Amino acid sequence: MEKARFNSRAMIPIVTAIVAAVFIGVGLKDFGFWEGQPTAAFFPIIIAVVLLATSLLCLVQVLRGKEDAPIYNRNEFMVILGGGGIIIGCYVIGLILSCLLYLFLWLKFVEHATWKAIIFMAALILGVFVFWMQVCLLYTSPS
């Protein structure tokens, strides 16, 4: 019987399982799940439970696999860096502006889209979030 080998592919399910466990713990401890009606943590806890279950299943699948060392593609790292950039940008310039910046950079330099497509997508994001849902465009720190 071959021993399960730990490789770098196991890191993502481990990290997501830890994040899910933290969200479940904080949600249940600080907000509760159901107090006569759903609390503010109701949906985040449900999503975190699903994330925990899928992370554990993925970890088992990775550890059982008999494949060679993973091969990482440059485009995969660009998506991860883009997501990290949006998260950091949320704290610096706000969610909508960081999404618009990501959209511009991705469409122009990765997808080589036309300006017409970029402007259309930016207008769609602004229309939905700023005008329809009335989300604040700039970051405002919590008081």
Side-chain angles (χ1 to χ4, degrees), residues 23-137:
F23 269 79
I24 292 168
V26 170
L28 290 173
K29 180 180 171 238
D30 294 344
F31 298 101
F33 183 71
W34 190 280
E35 296 171 3
Q37 64 182 12
T39 64
F42 180 74
F43 283 113
I45 290 172
I46 290 174
I47 292 170
V49 167
V50 172
L51 177 63
L52 181 63
T54 55
S55 297
L56 294 176
L57 289 173
C58 184
L59 181 62
V60 168
Q61 184 179 13
V62 167
L63 292 177
R64 281 188 178 177
K66 295 177 180 149
E67 46 194 60
D68 295 331
I71 299 170
Y72 295 105
N73 189 346
R74 178 177 170 260
N75 291 334
E76 294 168 353
F77 283 119
M78 290 184 66
V79 172
I80 293 169
L81 290 174
I86 288 177
I87 292 170
I88 293 169
C90 286
Y91 293 103
V92 178
I93 59 175
L95 175 64
I96 296 173
L97 290 178
S98 63
C99 286
L100 285 172
L101 180 63
Y102 174 79
L103 175 84
F104 167 74
L105 293 172
W106 188 267
L107 289 178
K108 194 64 185 163
F109 298 111
V110 176
E111 297 294 328
H112 305 291
T114 64
W115 283 107
K116 185 178 177 181
I118 294 171
I119 291 170
F120 175 76
M121 291 301 295
L124 186 67
I125 288 175
L126 288 173
V128 168
F129 288 103
V130 176
F131 298 114
W132 180 33
M133 297 175 73
Q134 298 177 355
V135 175
C136 182
L137 184 62

